Amino acid sequence: MSYWPEFLTIVIAHALAVASPGPDFALVLRQSLAHGRRVAVWASIGIGSGIAIHVGYCSLGLGLLLRDSPTALAVAKYLGAAYLAWVGVQALRARPREGDLDLSEGDAAPTDGAAWLQGFIVNVLNPKAALFFISLYTLRVSPATPALLKFGYGVWLVLATMAWFCLVSVLFTQAEVRRRFLRHGHWIDRALGVVFLAFAAALVLAKLG
């Protein structure tokens, strides 16, 4: 049996999902503008690591349990909404910046580990991401697919996610791109704060079941 059609379906569906603006993209964009490339890249790696969690429980069949458990989905929804709201409030408190980024002032920037953790939490606690992978693995991955191939799918999804958001990190830390954004950087931060709060509200109001 050829598993190429199955794999290509996963690749295309994931590419469309990861390129669509969401909490992950908003987080990487804000970290790029506020703290520079290194912090944004570590946040990107954290987001990719979060994908491994979704892929892991879907590959083990736990996705079916989560899909059929309204309580588990509700807990995930409210945890994700609360965290996104907290990130949004922090972004709304952004102050005007003068000139370019001064990356020598590292006191306000998160450590590599903290940036990784923030990306990881934003992704893991996003019920929309959970539902995407549950649907993808339930509807598109055959139960007959060998475990080793499922592992390979997961590796692809993790690395492709990391690569995409690292690219976003690089683009928005280019000097010219950054200068244009930083001209009104605090307004961008505040707008992203509104985006995070909107995502949080959407999660609370959405019917996930």
Side-chain angles (χ1 to χ4, degrees), residues 12-103:
I12 294 170
H14 174 256
L16 294 173
V18 78
S20 176
D24 295 338
F25 183 87
L27 175 66
V28 172
L29 176 57
R30 181 171 184 268
Q31 296 289 48
S32 297
L33 297 175
H35 302 301
R37 182 178 303 173
R38 185 182 182 91
V39 171
V41 166
W42 275 105
S44 301
I45 295 172
I47 291 168
S49 301
I51 297 294
I53 301 298
H54 297 301
V55 169
Y57 63 67
C58 288
S59 297
L60 294 172
L62 297 181
L64 292 174
L65 176 63
L66 183 60
R67 184 190 65 181
D68 296 331
S69 174
T71 300
L73 280 176
V75 169
K77 177 176 74 171
Y78 290 118
L79 283 176
Y83 189 77
L84 290 175
W86 180 81
V87 174
V89 170
Q90 299 303 309
L92 285 175
R93 298 172 61 189
R95 297 180 178 180
R97 292 185 292 263
E98 297 294 333
D100 202 353
L101 289 175
D102 184 0
L103 299 180

Side-chain angles (χ1 to χ4, degrees), residues 51-173:
I51 297 294
I53 301 298
H54 297 301
V55 169
Y57 63 67
C58 288
S59 297
L60 294 172
L62 297 181
L64 292 174
L65 176 63
L66 183 60
R67 184 190 65 181
D68 296 331
S69 174
T71 300
L73 280 176
V75 169
K77 177 176 74 171
Y78 290 118
L79 283 176
Y83 189 77
L84 290 175
W86 180 81
V87 174
V89 170
Q90 299 303 309
L92 285 175
R93 298 172 61 189
R95 297 180 178 180
R97 292 185 292 263
E98 297 294 333
D100 202 353
L101 289 175
D102 184 0
L103 299 180
S104 64
E105 296 181 3
D107 55 332
T111 63
D112 294 347
W116 177 90
L117 183 62
Q118 191 173 34
F120 179 81
I121 292 176
V122 164
N123 184 268
V124 169
L125 293 185
N126 182 0
K128 296 296 185 181
L131 287 177
F132 170 78
F133 284 101
I134 290 170
S135 301
L136 185 65
Y137 270 71
T138 301
L139 300 176
R140 300 301 180 189
V141 178
S142 169
T145 301
L148 186 60
L149 272 180
K150 291 182 180 179
F151 177 78
Y153 295 168
V155 170
W156 170 268
L157 293 169
V158 168
L159 294 181
T161 301
M162 290 182 181
W164 166 252
F165 286 112
C166 283
L167 175 62
V168 173
S169 303
V170 170
L171 288 177
F172 282 95
T173 49

